[in-house]
Amino acid sequence: MGEVSANNFFESQTIIADHKDLIHDVAFDFYGERMATCSSDQYVKVWDADGQGGWRLTASWKAHHGSVWKVTWAHPEFGQVLATCSFDRTAAIWEEVGDITASGSEKGLRTWVKRSNLVDSRTSVTDVKFGPKHLGLLLVTCSADGIIRIYEAPDVMNLAQWTLQHEMPTKVSISCLSWNPSLSRVNSNPPMLAVGSDEPNLANANSQTDKNCNGKVFIYEHSESSRRWAKTECLASVVEPVNDLAFAPNLGRSFHLLAVATKDVRIIKMEPLPEPTSNSNGCGVRFRSEVLAAFDDHSSCVWRVSWNVTGTLLASSGDDCCVRLWKMQYLNQWRCCAVFKNESSGNESPARTRPRTTYTRLAAITNPTHMPHH
């Protein structure tokens, strides 16, 4: 499919973030009115919408002693709370306190306080995500040594205390994870996580956790009866290293949609089976998985995927210095509806030598809350 230019429904803007090194992640809050960025310069910055289509820096602080890989917002019901993870082997929880102070500057900055430092990992913490609001104040982390950890704040008014509730070793390097946001009480779905591995294919031959599946995406579900998390699925359709993945919001569908960023953009349909079946290895199979779309338009590594609030529009970004928007059409057909190009790239060669600069510099235009719903 040929490229199409961004039409009047989509606009982009350039923000001078003033980070001193590569920006690794951009995250919007629940309402799309606030934005956080993190970088290898060890800093986190928070930006607020100015009401006129622009963004104003309201906070900047050194958050870690190593590159900050990911930043994520908690639901506003729990206050103005961020979580970050880093190469320094820790994840941190931050809370905004007070209001803007103009001391010494016309552009006074808000203050963010570190409420907790999670130090259980022995290797780089590669991703961190708050759980869906209906599960309480949960936080999941994953690390390069393949361990997934789920923490809970017993008292949402005391963010200094977090209890390690679950620890799941996977035996492969984990690069990213995503909660399924579906309400379990509505759709009878147990709490669910998708986990992606960036382990090279050669190494995977000796360390794969499922002898019957060479896939790099795993599904974990929580059982109310055993009160444990267990791996219930390995998606065999993704065998290349995974950089990012994201469950789509589910507003009534009888199936789940999972976007995967790997060597291309993939959209996978996961349909629950009425009765779990057994594969050739005797393990239960909970879903019928189908690749609805696979797009190689980036012609390069894809680093990030992000859904709009209805799960009908997907944004992806890659080493081609572009952000591409994919829209669901009739009968679950998907097509590219907009392309944003990095105007400063000029005639530069693709960013293979600087793989983490492009997707984040452009990610600020993919505000999932403000994307069109139709």
Side-chain angles (χ1 to χ4, degrees):
M1 178 174 17
E3 290 187 354
V4 294
S5 300
N7 56 35
N8 294 333
F9 292 104
F10 306 101
E11 297 179 359
S12 64
Q13 61 178 283
T14 299
I15 299 171
I16 307 302
D18 199 30
H19 278 288
K20 306 303 182 188
D21 209 328
L22 307 185
I23 300 174
H24 293 289
D25 200 18
V26 179
F28 290 92
D29 74 342
F30 179 79
Y31 298 108
E33 299 294 332
R34 310 193 77 184
M35 178 175 65
T37 60
C38 63
S39 165
S40 273
D41 65 7
Q42 306 176 10
Y43 272 71
V44 171
K45 295 176 184 283
V46 175
W47 312 76
D48 287 8
D50 62 9
Q52 300 176 347
W55 294 87
R56 178 169 51 92
L57 180 68
T58 59
S60 176
W61 71 96
K62 183 177 178 179
H64 288 272
H65 297 290
S67 296
V68 187
W69 302 131
K70 297 286 183 70
V71 59
T72 184
W73 293 84
H75 190 277
E77 177 179 297
F78 304 112
Q80 295 300 304
V81 179
L82 286 171
T84 55
C85 64
S86 170
F87 180 76
D88 69 6
R89 302 178 293 180
T90 70
I93 292 91
W94 309 86
E95 184 177 22
E96 186 181 58
V97 296
D99 205 342
I100 289 184
T101 58
S103 57
S105 172
E106 293 181 359
K107 298 180 180 179
L109 300 182
R110 289 188 172 101
T111 300
W112 288 77
V113 176
K114 182 189 286 188
R115 294 302 191 193
S116 187
N117 205 35
L118 308 177
V119 296
D120 297 289
S121 177
R122 296 185 178 181
T123 59
S124 174
V125 182
T126 53
D127 203 354
V128 59
K129 291 288 192 306
F130 284 105
K133 178 177 68 73
H134 65 276
L135 298 179
L137 189 50
L138 298 182
L139 187 74
V140 62
T141 68
C142 60
S143 53
D145 60 2
I147 299 179
I148 305 165
R149 296 178 174 90
I150 297 179
Y151 300 85
E152 181 179 15
D155 180 1
V156 298
M157 303 302 292
N158 181 9
L159 297 181
Q161 293 186 358
W162 291 80
T163 303
L164 178 59
Q165 298 282 61
H166 304 277
E167 192 171 82
M168 298 102 76
T170 65
K171 299 182 182 179
V172 293
S173 175
I174 300 298
S175 57
C176 52
L177 43 77
S178 174
W179 291 92
N180 187 338
S182 300
L183 290 171
S184 59
R185 285 180 291 223
V186 175
N187 297 333
S188 300
N189 295 317
M192 186 188 306
L193 281 168
V195 176
S197 172
D198 60 354
E199 191 159 292
N201 290 320
L202 292 178
N204 192 58
N206 297 321
S207 61
Q208 58 186 334
T209 58
D210 188 337
K211 295 181 180 180
N212 205 44
C213 178
N214 292 321
K216 297 296 177 66
V217 176
F218 313 102
I219 305 299
Y220 283 79
E221 292 182 284
H222 184 263
S223 168
E224 290 294 337
S225 58
S226 66
R227 296 187 178 182
R228 296 174 62 89
W229 286 81
K231 187 178 74 172
T232 59
E233 203 83 16
C234 172
L235 302 186
S237 57
V238 183
V239 296
E240 300 85 5
V242 174
N243 300 313
D244 194 21
L245 43 72
F247 271 114
N250 191 337
L251 300 182
R253 286 187 295 263
S254 60
F255 54 88
H256 309 292
L257 287 178
L258 181 68
V260 179
T262 175
K263 68 180 181 62
D264 53 18
V265 181
R266 228 161 285 185
I267 301 173
I268 299 174
K269 175 183 177 182
M270 295 172 52
E271 187 174 7
L273 295 173
E275 295 288 338
T277 60
S278 297
N279 58 25
S280 58
N281 204 27
C283 297
V285 177
R286 290 260 294 111
F287 302 96
R288 179 185 296 110
S289 300
E290 174 189 358
V291 178
L292 293 182
F295 301 109
D296 60 0
D297 298 43
H298 284 285
S299 300
S300 60
C301 190
V302 181
W303 288 104
R304 286 288 185 271
V305 284
S306 178
W307 293 94
N308 69 337
V309 294
T310 57
T312 56
L313 192 67
L314 177 70
S316 64
S317 50
D319 276 348
D320 61 345
C321 301
C322 291
V323 169
R324 300 173 187 273
L325 302 186
W326 312 92
K327 187 177 181 181
M328 184 176 67
Q329 305 294 306
Y330 183 62
L331 294 178
N332 290 325
Q333 296 296 313
W334 293 80
R335 70 175 181 86
C336 183
C337 62
V339 178
F340 296 94
K341 297 184 178 181
N342 181 6
E343 296 177 356
S344 65
S345 61
N347 295 321
E348 295 176 7
S349 59
R352 284 187 287 267
T353 58
R354 299 181 298 149
R356 290 185 178 268
T357 57
T358 302
Y359 71 84
T360 47
R361 183 167 27 183
L362 296 175
I365 67 170
T366 63
N367 184 335
T369 302
H370 287 172
M371 284 184 182
H373 294 181
H374 303 291

